[in-house]
Amino acid sequence: MDNKKKLLNTWESKRNFFNACQLKFMACIFMLISHISQTAYIDILGYPNLHKPMMLIGRISFPIFCFFIVQGIILTRDVRKYLLRLFIFALISEIPFDLAFYGKINPYSQNVFLTLFLGALLIYTLTYIEKIGVNRLLKVVISFSSLLFFMLISKLLFSDYSYKGIFAMFLLYLGRNKKSYTALALFIGFYFEAYLYKVVYGSIGFILLYNGKRGKMNKWFFYAFYPVHLLLIYFFMNYVTI
């Protein structure tokens, strides 16, 4: 059985609630709520007491996006176009990201699309390694070398979540074909955020309710949402008087 069929057999379910479109949309809303808080816009609105709860809600979003990076690389019809889209939006999103969070260009912090792109490249590399005709031990060595390489690149480029996000996607790839393994991957992979009242683990419940269906979605909405909402936050912080 190939990777696509294994993945679909694991996740397709008539009993679960959420398709990919619904989960991604919820992740976008959680991210928006968090970014309103993290960029200090909530202080401008006059509700500083909401800063922490709003920021915590956003912890649920990144694991969901990482989960769908693994799904996307395996299920996409054209992996090169998929990777290209991630790379292009990493470039497009950088200025909105810098403006919203720093108010200026900051070369020492890159947006989350770059992390997702590097993670996707790692997953693509791992799927390729699985197909090459070498012994199992050598495949393991090459796979872990690839992991370390992409973790290092992520750290050197100052990508959001850095090497920790890359490692989390690696674990999600390893656990992709069993829901219990995916839950364990989420638990271990996002432990680095567990100190924030364990809210990040709320993502496990949402992901385990995924029904394996794509849903009706415009893929460009989810790509564009990130830079557009950051630009809007920057605009309202600087040019709209409350």
Side-chain angles (χ1 to χ4, degrees), residues 91-213:
L91 296 178
I92 291 173
S93 301
E94 190 52 36
I95 291 178
F97 173 80
D98 285 346
L99 291 177
F101 283 96
Y102 305 104
K104 61 181 181 180
I105 301 301
N106 181 6
Y108 300 106
S109 181
Q110 317 304 328
N111 71 86
V112 77
F113 255 119
L114 178 60
T115 312
L116 295 176
F117 169 68
L118 292 173
L121 272 178
L122 170 62
I123 303 307
Y124 174 65
T125 302
L126 295 175
T127 61
Y128 179 80
I129 292 169
E130 284 189 0
K131 299 174 184 177
I132 60 178
V134 296
N135 67 66
R136 188 176 182 83
L137 178 59
L138 184 55
K139 285 184 179 182
V140 170
V141 172
I142 297 172
S143 296
F144 275 96
S145 298
S146 300
L147 169 64
L148 293 175
F149 172 77
F150 282 103
M151 289 174 67
L152 177 61
I153 293 298
S154 182
K155 185 174 178 62
L156 291 175
L157 293 179
F158 307 103
S159 70
D160 203 8
Y161 294 97
S162 189
Y163 64 92
K164 298 173 184 177
I166 303 299
F167 182 66
M169 282 182 269
F170 173 75
L171 292 180
L172 283 168
Y173 176 75
L174 294 183
R176 67 194 180 280
N177 291 326
K178 275 196 175 182
K179 292 183 179 181
S180 58
Y181 291 171
T182 294
L184 182 61
L186 290 163
F187 185 82
I188 297 172
F190 293 95
Y191 182 76
F192 68 93
E193 288 212 312
Y195 73 96
L196 293 169
Y197 304 100
K198 311 294 188 292
V199 176
V200 68
Y201 292 141
S203 61
I204 297 176
F206 284 102
I207 289 171
L208 292 182
L209 290 174
Y210 172 49
N211 62 18
K213 305 295 183 182

Side-chain angles (χ1 to χ4, degrees), residues 7-14 16 179 210-213:
L7 197 65
L8 291 172
N9 285 343
T10 298
W11 293 98
E12 284 187 343
S13 171
K14 294 181 179 179
N16 287 345
K179 292 183 179 181
Y210 172 49
N211 62 18
K213 305 295 183 182

Side-chain angles (χ1 to χ4, degrees), residues 8-25:
L8 291 172
N9 285 343
T10 298
W11 293 98
E12 284 187 343
S13 171
K14 294 181 179 179
R15 292 178 295 177
N16 287 345
F17 297 101
F18 303 123
N19 60 43
C21 178
Q22 292 165 335
L23 280 173
K24 288 179 182 179
F25 186 78

